[in-house]
C-alpha cells in the first residue's frame, strides 16, 4: 500500500475522479449490506426469546418507525409510548447497541484515516499516537475518582485525548514537526498514559467500578443504549462533516511538506486542526465504547487497498466500512460464546492483528504513506 498509494500517485487523472468511483460505490453498497445483515442478526438473538421473523417485523413495525413520540423518547429521552413487548426489546434494548456500534465504527475509522495522513505514516492510529490512552485515562479517572462527572464522559474523553495529543505535539516539536517525530512521541505518551491507567486500579475499591474500567480498556458495547446514542450523535456528525471538508487538505499533505507549502498551505496549522478533528472523532468512540484496539489502524488500510489512496474517496469508504466491521465484530463478540459476551475490542484485536500481519507480509514496505 505504501507503494501503490503513495503521494506520488496523486496525479491530475486522479484529481478528475472526484468523490465517487464505480469501485467505491460497489464497496459502499457491500459494506451497507454487511451492516444491515449484521444488525438484523444482532437484534434476532438475546435472553428474551422471540423468533427471527418476530424480531425483524419489530424492526420495521410502522407503529414504531413512524411514531413521533417513540423517536422523541429515543433521541431526546422523553416518555416511551405504549409498545408491544417485542418492540420494546428490539427498539429499546437491542437496536441501540447496533446504532452505537455504527457511530463508534465510523468515528474510529475516520480518526485513523486522518492520523495516517497527518503523520504520513500508515502505522499511525489514535492508539499509536496516544490519543486513545489519554482519553481512556480521563474516562477511567472520572469513573474511579470523579464519578459525579460521568454524564460528561464525551467531553472528558475529548479533553483527555486533546491533552495527550498536545503533549505529543510538544515533544515532537523542533522547529516544526515531522511524521516520524510525531509517531515516536505518540508511542512515548501512549506508554505513560497506559501506566497511569493501570495505577488508577489501586484506588478503586468497588469491584463494579473495576469491571467497568476493564470494559473501557478492552472496548465493549455491552449495555449500551439510547443514552450513548444521544451522547455521541452530535459530536460524531460534527467530526465527520469536518473530516469530509478536510479531505482535499489531507490529499495535499500527502504530497509532502515542501510541496504543500509551495501550494500555499500553512502545513502546521492544517496538520494541527485536522488532528483536532481526529481527536474529536476518536473521543466520541472511546466515550461510548472504550478503547477498541486495531480498529482505527486496520479499517483505513482495508478501504485504501480497495478504493485507492485519494482521501475524498477513502473518507467516504471509511463511513461505510467502519460501521460494517464494528457491527459484525460486535455480533461475534455477543453471540460466538453462547451466553458469555466478550468485549468487542477482543474480537477486533484477534481479527485485526493477523490481518495486519498479512498486510505486512504482502507489502514490500510499510511505514510511510
Amino acid at each position: 500500500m505504501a507503494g501503490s498509494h503513495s503521494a506520488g500517485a496523486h496525479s491530475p487523472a486522479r484529481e478528475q475522479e472526484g468523490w465517487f468511483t464505480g469501485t467505491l460505490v460497489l464497496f459502499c453498497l457491500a459494506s451497507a449490506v454487511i451492516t444491515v445483515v449484521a444488525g438484523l442478526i444482532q437484534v434476532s438473538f438475546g435472553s428474551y426469546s422471540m423468533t427471527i421473523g418476530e424480531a425483524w417485523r419489530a424492526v420495521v413495525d410502522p407503529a414504531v418507525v413512524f411514531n413521533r413520540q417513540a423517536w422523541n423518547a429515543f433521541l431526546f429521552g422523553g416518555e416511551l409510548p405504549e409498545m408491544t413487548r417485542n418492540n420494546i426489546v428490539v427498539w429499546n434494548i437491542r437496536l441501540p447497541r447496533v446504532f452505537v456500534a455504527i457511530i463508534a465504527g465510523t468515528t474510529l475509522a475516520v480518526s485513523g484515516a486522518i492520523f495516517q495522513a497527518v503523520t504520513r505514516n500508515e502505522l499511525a492510529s489514535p492508539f499509536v499516537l496516544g490519543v486513545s490512552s489519554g482519553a481512556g485515562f480521563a474516562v477511567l479517572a472520572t469513573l474511579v475518582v470523579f464519578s459525579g462527572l460521568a454524564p460528561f464522559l464525551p467531553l472528558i474523553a475529548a479533553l483527555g485525548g486533546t491533552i495527550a495529543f498536545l503533549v505529543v505535539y510538544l515533544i515532537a516539536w523542533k522547529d516544526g514537526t515531522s511524521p516520524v517525530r510525531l509517531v515516536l512521541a505518540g508511542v512515548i505518551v501512549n506508554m505513560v498514559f497506559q501506566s497511569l491507567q493501570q495505577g488508577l486500579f489501586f484506588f478503586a475499591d468497588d469491584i463494579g467500578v473495576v469491571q467497568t474500567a476493564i470494559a473501557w480498556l478492552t472496548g465493549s458495547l455491552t449495555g449500551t443504549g439510547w443514552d450513548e446514542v444521544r451522547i455521541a450523535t452530535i459530536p460524531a456528525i460534527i467530526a465527520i462533516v469536518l473530516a469530509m471538508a478536510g479531505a482535499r487538505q489531507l490529499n495535499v499533505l500527502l504530497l509532502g511538506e515542501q510541496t504543500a507549502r509551495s501550494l500555499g498551505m500553512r502545513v502546521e496549522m492544517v496538520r494541527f486542526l485536522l488532528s483536532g478533528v481526529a481527536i474529536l472523532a476518536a473521543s466520541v468512540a472511546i466515550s461510548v465504547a472504550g478503547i477498541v484496539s486495531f480498529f482505527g489502524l486496520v479499517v483505513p488500510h482495508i478501504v485504501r487497498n480497495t478504493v485507492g489512496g485519494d482521501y475524498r474517496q477513502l473518507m467516504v469508504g471509511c463511513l461505510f466500512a467502519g460501521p460494517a466491521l464494528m457491527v459484525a465484530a460486535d455480533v461475534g463478540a455477543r453471540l460466538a460464546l453462547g451466553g458469555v459476551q466478550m468485549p468487542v475490542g477482543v474480537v477486533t484485536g484477534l481479527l485485526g492483528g493477523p490481518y495486519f500481519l498479512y498486510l505486512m507480509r504482502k507489502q514490500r514496505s510499510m511505514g510511510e504513506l
Side-chain angles (χ1 to χ4, degrees):
M1 68 204 81
S4 58
H5 304 302
S6 65
H10 187 76
S11 63
R14 262 182 50 184
E15 187 67 33
Q16 295 174 359
E17 289 179 350
W19 287 84
F20 293 95
T21 64
T23 302
L24 176 62
V25 171
L26 289 175
F27 179 80
C28 292
L29 286 174
S31 299
V33 169
I34 292 173
T35 304
V36 172
V37 171
L40 289 174
I41 294 173
Q42 185 72 291
V43 302
S44 300
F45 300 95
S47 56
Y48 178 77
S49 179
M50 70 175 78
T51 66
I52 293 176
E54 289 174 336
W56 293 10
R57 279 194 295 273
V59 171
V60 296
D61 189 347
V64 180
V65 175
F66 301 108
N67 189 325
R68 186 176 298 179
Q69 187 181 355
W71 284 106
N72 180 63
F74 298 150
L75 299 179
F76 302 105
E79 186 176 352
L80 267 179
E82 189 172 342
M83 300 166 65
T84 65
R85 183 171 297 180
N86 285 353
N87 283 346
I88 290 176
V89 170
V90 169
W91 278 92
N92 211 35
I93 298 176
R94 297 179 184 175
L95 263 181
R97 178 168 177 157
V98 177
F99 293 144
V100 173
I102 290 173
I103 294 171
T106 304
T107 50
L108 275 180
V110 166
S111 177
I114 293 176
F115 276 130
Q116 289 174 9
V118 166
T119 61
R120 297 186 64 218
N121 192 311
E122 59 190 29
L123 297 179
S125 72
F127 186 79
V128 172
L129 292 174
V131 174
S132 295
S133 297
F137 170 73
V139 170
L140 279 179
T142 303
L143 292 173
V144 175
V145 185
F146 309 106
S147 56
L149 298 176
F152 305 102
L153 278 182
L155 290 176
I156 293 170
L159 181 63
T162 301
I163 292 174
F165 193 72
L166 286 175
V167 174
V168 169
Y169 224 84
L170 288 174
I171 295 174
W173 185 270
K174 187 178 181 181
D175 298 325
T177 60
S178 73
V180 173
R181 287 204 298 271
L182 280 173
V183 172
L184 291 177
V187 171
I188 295 170
V189 172
N190 185 34
M191 293 174 63
V192 170
F193 274 108
Q194 281 191 337
S195 298
L196 291 174
Q197 288 175 14
Q198 294 170 2
L200 277 176
F201 283 106
F202 289 99
F203 297 95
D205 52 4
D206 186 335
I207 188 65
V209 171
V210 172
Q211 289 177 338
T212 303
I214 292 174
W216 277 97
L217 292 178
T218 52
S220 175
L221 294 170
T222 302
T224 54
W226 285 109
D227 286 339
E228 283 72 21
V229 175
R230 288 191 286 270
I231 287 173
T233 299
I234 292 178
I237 291 174
I238 293 173
I240 290 169
V241 169
L242 292 176
M244 299 301 290
R248 291 180 184 276
Q249 282 70 32
L250 291 170
N251 274 337
V252 176
L253 278 178
L254 289 178
L255 296 173
E257 295 183 14
Q258 289 186 343
T259 304
R261 287 195 177 93
S262 69
L263 293 173
M265 173 180 281
R266 300 174 66 179
V267 173
E268 289 299 338
M269 177 176 288
V270 172
R271 180 182 285 161
F272 192 79
L273 292 177
L274 288 172
S275 297
V277 176
I279 291 169
L280 175 62
S283 300
V284 170
I286 293 168
S287 66
V288 295
I291 301 174
V292 183
S293 61
F294 273 105
F295 203 85
L297 178 64
V298 170
V299 174
H301 281 286
I302 295 174
V303 180
R304 187 179 292 114
N305 283 336
T306 306
V307 306
D310 189 321
Y311 259 72
R312 295 168 299 177
Q313 298 150 20
L314 191 146
M315 282 296 182
V316 175
C318 284
L319 298 184
F320 287 83
L325 294 176
M326 185 64 84
V327 176
D330 191 42
V331 170
R334 179 166 171 253
L335 302 178
L337 297 182
V340 179
Q341 295 190 35
M342 288 186 293
V344 68
V346 174
V347 176
T348 58
L350 290 173
L351 297 178
Y355 177 76
F356 206 71
L357 179 62
Y358 160 75
L359 288 178
M360 290 177 62
R361 302 286 295 181
K362 181 181 177 183
Q363 302 298 327
R364 293 182 178 179
S365 62
M366 288 190 74
E368 188 173 335
L369 282 170

